[in-house]
Amino acid sequence: MLKYFFKRLLVMIPMMLAISLLVFGALELTPGDPLTAQFPPDQLVGMSQEDLDALREAVGLNDPMLVRYFRWLIAFFTGDMGYSIQTGTPISQVISYLLPQTVILAAAALLISTIFGLIFGIIAATKHNTIWDYLASVIGVIGISMPEFFIGIVAILIFAINLGWLPAQGRGSADATFIQNLRYLILPASSLGLSLAAALTRYTRNSMMDVMNQDYVKTARAKGLSESRVFFKHVFRNALMPISVLIFLRLPMLIGGSVVIEQVFGYAGIGNRLLTAINSSDYQLVLTIILMLSFVALLASLLIDLVTALLDPRVRL
């Protein structure tokens, strides 16, 4: 298993390099002067056009794209990510401050959606063709159909404005504890995870229904095993493999979907900052954020393979 893990981990290296090259090349085609992304803004103040042209030649911006790409790649892996054009802040500080907040938001949304999706999916499967099954199906269709920003707006109107239970905007205070700031996380995480919970409910129900009709489940019941043992040992475990693939596959989608949710709730995260960087042509920051999000997507793919290998030893072969 350890050999399988390291083999899959090594595959991520050329994939990240390919993604970085594609993104770097795409940003090269966009309008704008990359010179301001190479230095802090205070070093460029007061320079004439002749000075800027000489500086552009000195730092190698007239070199071919591949030469500049490898120069940037070496600087990136040595910890020099450059500076944000908009604020002049080192990009490493922006990433270290905002990325954990978005990961927390996505993890909370994933936890909420997993808990409720599995519960309603199991109820719908075990109560097949009953009112509970129909109710779970209706909730699932509604949750899948509604976009995340609409869910967020409705949640703000109901729970923040009308009832006043939870805050509508912000991320909490840096001086407050995690428990105190948790109330700021409930609405955006729930809004982000609701569509996944609805899809997971439908997927869990169908997966469990398929397993429950298998011959080995009928054989287990015929041997006189208790219903709980049949459920947990034969039904749930075998149905969990495709369900786990769906859960981990949605992790990068949750982080990508946080761009809209962070805008709706005024949540300071990496998604919100990515949208601001695109609007302000802060391409150095855009490149770094996209690479971080790509790494999260590849990591989610690695987790899918590991969980699948743990649940089904045949995959390790």
Side-chain angles (χ1 to χ4, degrees):
M1 185 63 186
L2 193 61
K3 181 180 179 181
Y4 177 79
F5 169 74
F6 283 110
K7 181 180 178 180
R8 292 289 294 111
L9 195 62
L10 290 175
V11 173
M12 293 176 58
I13 298 177
M15 296 180 68
M16 283 295 297
L17 293 176
I19 292 173
S20 64
L21 180 59
L22 288 174
V23 176
F24 190 91
L27 292 178
E28 283 290 314
L29 300 177
T30 57
D33 186 5
L35 179 66
T36 54
Q38 305 293 324
F39 297 94
D42 55 356
Q43 294 186 14
L44 300 176
V45 176
M47 288 187 178
S48 63
Q49 185 61 41
E50 291 76 11
D51 294 334
L52 291 176
D53 292 338
L55 185 58
R56 186 177 291 106
E57 180 67 28
V59 299
L61 290 179
N62 294 329
D63 295 336
M65 187 199 76
L66 287 178
V67 175
R68 288 183 281 114
Y69 166 74
F70 283 109
R71 185 188 301 123
W72 167 84
L73 189 66
I74 294 172
F76 180 84
F77 282 106
T78 55
D80 183 13
M81 299 182 183
Y83 291 82
S84 171
I85 299 175
Q86 187 179 20
T87 62
T89 308
I91 293 178
S92 57
Q93 293 184 11
V94 177
I95 297 298
S96 61
Y97 177 69
L98 295 179
L99 184 59
Q101 304 302 325
T102 298
V103 172
I104 290 174
L105 175 61
L110 187 66
L111 179 63
I112 293 173
S113 61
T114 301
I115 293 175
F116 287 98
L118 288 178
I119 290 176
F120 288 122
I122 291 173
I123 292 175
T126 54
K127 305 293 183 181
H128 182 55
N129 288 334
T130 64
I131 185 62
W132 299 107
D133 184 19
Y134 300 143
L135 182 61
S137 299
V138 170
I139 294 176
V141 171
I142 294 175
I144 296 174
S145 303
M146 291 191 299
E148 295 167 347
F149 73 89
F150 178 76
I151 297 174
I153 293 174
V154 172
I156 291 176
L157 290 174
I158 296 176
F159 298 102
I161 297 177
N162 294 334
L163 298 177
W165 291 352
L166 297 168
Q169 296 286 310
R171 202 184 65 187
S173 174
D175 300 330
T177 63
F178 176 77
I179 301 299
Q180 292 172 335
N181 290 334
L182 187 61
R183 56 198 306 266
Y184 289 90
L185 188 64
I186 295 176
L187 283 185
S190 300
S191 302
L192 186 60
L194 183 59
S195 60
L196 174 57
L200 188 60
T201 297
R202 302 276 299 176
Y203 203 78
T204 302
R205 174 192 177 277
N206 295 336
S207 180
M208 292 191 63
M209 289 293 300
D210 181 65
V211 174
M212 289 169 65
N213 292 324
Q214 297 295 323
D215 291 336
Y216 60 84
V217 176
K218 298 177 182 178
T219 303
R221 287 197 176 101
K223 289 182 177 180
L225 296 179
S226 63
E227 192 64 28
S228 60
R229 188 173 181 182
V230 171
F231 176 80
F232 287 105
K233 186 176 181 180
H234 297 280
V235 178
F236 185 69
R237 180 177 179 180
N238 289 282
L240 190 61
M241 186 169 65
I243 296 172
S244 63
V245 171
L246 176 66
I247 292 174
F248 287 107
L249 192 62
R250 289 298 182 96
L251 181 58
M253 298 178 63
L254 287 175
I255 295 181
S258 66
V259 176
V260 177
I261 289 298
E262 288 176 5
Q263 285 285 315
V264 172
F265 288 93
Y267 187 90
I270 202 70
N272 197 348
R273 190 66 183 86
L274 175 61
L275 191 60
T276 305
I278 294 174
N279 293 331
S280 60
S281 300
D282 196 347
Y283 296 134
Q284 188 84 352
L285 182 57
V286 171
L287 175 61
T288 306
I289 292 177
I290 291 178
L291 286 181
M292 294 298 177
L293 297 181
S294 301
F295 176 75
V296 173
L298 292 177
L299 187 61
S301 176
L302 175 62
L303 291 175
I304 291 173
D305 293 338
L306 291 179
V307 171
T308 305
L310 287 174
L311 295 175
D312 189 353
R314 295 173 298 176
V315 177
R316 307 174 201 174
L317 302 177

